[in-house]
Amino acid sequence: MDELMNLMIADESPSEISDSIKNQLFAKGAARVDALKPEVANAMLGYELESEEDEASVGELDDEVETEEEE
């Protein structure tokens, strides 16, 4: 946000200010997408996770299911 204010105060070109706004919006959007990826992936695979402890145990559950299927 400071970068944007500095561009406006320095009377930079409108296209440069617009590019700065777009970059900031894309960065925020990417951060939100990255934050939601695990939740969406788990929902698509049928896992229902209620806490961070559950997220850590998903890998362990997958390993147990694989060993049971091999037997």
Side-chain angles (χ1 to χ4, degrees):
M1 188 62 121
D2 292 333
E3 179 186 346
L4 181 60
M5 292 301 290
N6 290 337
L7 290 173
M8 285 192 254
I9 291 170
D11 200 29
E12 294 293 331
S13 69
S15 64
E16 196 170 322
I17 294 171
S18 175
D19 289 344
S20 175
I21 292 170
K22 289 176 189 175
N23 289 338
Q24 290 178 11
L25 289 173
F26 284 129
K28 285 183 179 184
R32 288 183 180 177
V33 167
D34 288 341
L36 290 174
K37 276 183 183 178
E39 184 178 331
V40 171
N42 290 328
M44 296 296 290
L45 295 173
Y47 297 119
E48 293 184 20
L49 303 178
E50 296 178 6
S51 68
E52 290 181 17
E53 293 175 5
D54 290 341
E55 291 177 12
S57 65
V58 167
E60 296 170 8
L61 292 174
D62 287 340
D63 292 340
E64 290 175 11
V65 170
E66 288 176 7
T67 56
E68 289 176 4
E69 290 176 356
E70 291 173 2
E71 294 174 357

